[in-house]
Amino acid sequence: MTTTNQKKAPTKTMIAIAAIVTNVIWGTPFKLIKIMNDEMGISRDALGDNYIGQVLATISIRFFIAGIMTLIFAMFIKQNIFKVTKTQWKEVIIMGLLSTTAAYFFFNIGNVNISSTINSTILAQSTIFFAAILAHFAYKNDKLTMPKVLALVIGFAGLIISQLTGGTTINDMFEFALTGEGFMLIYGLIAALATMLAKKIGSTLNSFVMTGWNLIIGSVFLFIIGLFMGGTLSYINWTPLGVILLVILAAASAIPFSLWYWCAQYANLGEITVYKFIMPISGSLLAVILGERFTWPLACGLVLVCLSIILINRPPKSFQALAKSRKQEKESA
C-alpha cells in the first residue's frame, strides 16, 4: 500500500490552492441544505416531532453518496480501496463516527434551528478557535502565544457580536438556543477534533480512501439515528431540483473533505486553517445572493471572525517579534 511517506510532497502553492477551493465549496451547503429541505417537503410544519429525524435521515443520503463519489475517485487514481489494515479500519470507523455522524448530527440540527444562514456560517468557524486551543495541548510545535490568544479573543468577540439582535436586556440582546447556536458550537469542537484525528490516520492511509469510508460509515449511523428520531425515506418528495441539490451537496462534501484531509497530511494545521476565513465569506455571499439580509451585527461579527482566523495563523511580524522577545525573557529569567 502506498503511504504518504513514499510520495513526493506537494508544493506549498498546490496546498494553498487546494485549501482555498475547499473553503469556497464548504461555504455553500449552509443555504443549499435549507433550500433542498424546502424543495423536498421537509418542514417543521409538515412533520412536527419527526422533523429533526427526517432532516438527519435525508442529509445522511448526501454523505453516503459523497462517500461513494470519493471511493470511485480513489479507484480512478489507482488506489485499492479495500487494502485497509485492521488498525486502519478501527481508526476509519472512529473517524466516521466523529467527523460524519457526531459532527453532522449537531451541524444539521443547529443549522435548521438557526434562522440566519449567515449566522450559521459564522458560528461554524468556531472550529478554528477550538483547533488552536486543542493544538496547544496536542502538539509541541503549535503552542498558544500572546498573539494567538489575542486573536482568539477577537474571534470569540466576533461570535458574540454576531448574535446581537438589539434590545435593552441581556435576553433581548442575544439570540442563543442550545439546539441552534449551541449545537453549531459543539459541531465546531468536534470538527476540530476530527481534523487532528485525520492528520494522524492520513500518515498511513490515502486521504481519499480514508475520507470515502469514513463518510459511508458515518452516514449509515447518522441515517439510523434519523430513523429512531422519526425520519423515513417515504416522507421525501423526490423532485428533480431536490435530487440535483442533493447531488450538488454530496459533491460539496466529497471534494472539500478529501482535499482538506489531503492538505492536513502534508501541512501544519496553522498553514491551512488560515484559509478558513474564505468559508464564512463564501457562505455569507451566497446567502445574500439568495435573498438573506446582512445586518450590522452579522457584518461586524464576520469581519472580526475572519480577522481572528488570519491572526491566529499568520500574526503580523510585530506580534511575532513581541512573542519571541517575551519567550527569550522567560528563558533568561
Side-chain angles (χ1 to χ4, degrees):
M1 179 173 61
T2 304
T3 66
T4 55
N5 294 330
Q6 296 172 322
K7 296 178 182 178
K8 183 180 178 181
T11 64
K12 287 189 175 182
T13 301
M14 290 175 62
I15 292 173
I17 292 172
I20 291 169
V21 171
T22 294
N23 284 285
V24 170
I25 298 173
W26 252 337
T28 60
F30 293 87
K31 186 65 177 179
L32 294 184
I33 289 171
K34 294 183 178 182
I35 296 173
M36 183 192 73
N37 286 342
D38 290 340
E39 180 66 22
M40 290 183 164
I42 302 169
S43 68
R44 201 180 300 273
D45 291 338
L47 300 171
D49 293 340
N50 297 326
Y51 171 62
I52 295 298
Q54 188 59 46
V55 167
L56 297 177
T58 305
I59 212 66
S60 68
I61 302 172
R62 165 198 174 190
F63 294 117
F64 188 84
I65 297 172
I68 297 295
M69 288 178 174
T70 308
L71 291 180
I72 289 173
F73 180 77
M75 290 189 289
F76 178 76
I77 60 173
K78 310 299 183 187
Q79 292 293 324
N80 186 342
I81 65 172
F82 297 106
K83 194 173 183 181
V84 184
T85 67
K86 287 184 179 179
T87 300
Q88 289 170 338
W89 274 122
K90 290 178 182 177
E91 291 175 333
V92 169
I93 290 171
I94 294 171
M95 186 74 185
L97 292 173
L98 184 67
S99 70
T100 303
T101 307
Y104 283 93
F105 171 86
F106 289 104
F107 173 90
N108 285 288
I109 294 177
N111 191 42
V112 298
N113 283 331
I114 298 174
S115 58
S116 169
T117 301
I118 300 170
N119 201 356
S120 296
T121 310
I122 294 171
L123 285 172
Q125 305 321 302
S126 60
T127 183
I128 294 101
F129 310 141
F130 287 128
I133 295 169
L134 292 173
H136 174 79
F137 298 100
Y139 307 120
K140 291 182 179 179
N141 63 344
D142 204 358
K143 297 296 184 181
L144 282 175
T145 60
M146 281 305 296
K148 281 189 177 182
V149 172
L150 176 60
L152 286 173
V153 172
I154 293 172
F156 281 112
L159 294 181
I160 293 170
I161 290 171
S162 70
Q163 305 305 304
L164 290 173
T165 57
T168 55
T169 66
I170 294 295
N171 289 335
D172 291 337
M173 288 173 62
F174 291 95
E175 184 177 339
F176 188 92
L178 175 61
T179 56
E181 290 79 6
F183 273 25
M184 195 60 75
L185 291 175
I186 294 173
Y187 156 76
L189 176 60
I190 295 173
L193 289 168
T195 301
M196 295 173 68
L197 180 59
K199 189 171 180 68
K200 176 180 180 296
I201 299 174
S203 62
T204 59
L205 184 62
N206 176 269
S207 61
F208 297 103
V209 176
M210 174 189 70
T211 303
W213 284 120
N214 100 58
L215 283 169
I216 289 174
I217 292 167
S219 67
V220 169
F221 282 96
L222 191 62
F223 181 72
I224 292 170
I225 292 172
L227 292 182
F228 274 107
M229 293 178 68
T232 175
L233 294 178
S234 63
Y235 284 159
I236 303 174
N237 181 21
W238 295 101
T239 66
L241 177 58
V243 172
I244 291 171
L245 287 171
L246 182 63
V247 173
I248 290 173
L249 285 167
S253 290
I255 296 170
F257 263 120
S258 299
L259 287 176
W260 189 252
Y261 293 148
W262 175 79
C263 290
Q265 291 178 33
Y266 293 106
N268 292 329
L269 292 183
E271 293 176 351
I272 57 175
T273 50
V274 67
Y275 298 104
K276 281 272 191 176
F277 80 91
I278 296 169
M279 178 180 161
I281 295 174
S282 171
S284 298
L285 287 176
L286 179 63
V288 171
I289 291 170
L290 294 176
E292 286 203 16
R293 191 168 64 92
F294 218 154
T295 65
W296 278 110
L298 288 176
C300 184
L302 177 63
V303 170
L304 289 176
V305 166
C306 290
L307 175 63
S308 173
I309 293 169
I310 296 171
L311 290 176
I312 284 174
N313 299 288
R314 298 283 175 84
K317 290 183 179 179
S318 58
F319 279 20
Q320 294 180 29
L322 178 63
K324 186 176 180 180
S325 64
R326 289 196 173 186
K327 183 179 179 181
Q328 289 174 344
E329 287 176 4
K330 286 184 179 180
E331 290 175 349
S332 61

